[in-house]
């Protein structure tokens, strides 16, 4: 795990015994923020969705990984 400005990055590397990895997976910290949205928006208004997404600093390009 590596700490970044938006949270903790998860890295998963599996070696094949050579100088190149067999499998590499990266987990962006934005994924956890998106998962928390459902709990953050309970009881709020639709207009609050924009403010909540802006306050947790979501980068939508990282979400689709």
């Amino acid at each position: 795990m590596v700490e970044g400005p938006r949270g903790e990055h998860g890295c998963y590397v599996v070696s094949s015994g050579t100088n190149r990895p067999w499998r590499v997976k990266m987990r962006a910290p934005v994924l956890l923020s998106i998962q928390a949205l459902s709990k953050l928006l309970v009881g709020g208004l639709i207009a609050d969705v924009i403010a909540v997404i802006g306050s947790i600093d979501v980068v939508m390009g990282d979400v689709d990984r």
Side-chain angles (χ1 to χ4, degrees):
M1 292 181 257
V2 178
E3 187 69 27
R6 287 188 172 89
E8 193 173 79
H9 293 271
C11 302
Y12 177 74
V13 181
V14 178
S15 174
S16 63
T18 63
N19 62 347
R20 294 193 176 140
W22 178 68
R23 176 176 226 165
V24 176
K25 285 190 169 191
M26 302 288 284
R27 182 188 54 93
V30 177
L31 181 64
L32 297 176
S33 300
I34 292 295
Q35 289 176 345
L37 270 179
S38 62
K39 293 189 180 189
L40 292 172
L41 296 174
V42 171
L45 301 173
I46 293 177
D48 296 335
V49 173
I50 304 295
V52 170
I53 289 175
S55 68
I56 60 175
D57 196 22
V58 174
V59 177
M60 289 300 177
D62 285 345
V63 174
D64 65 348
R65 279 194 211 177

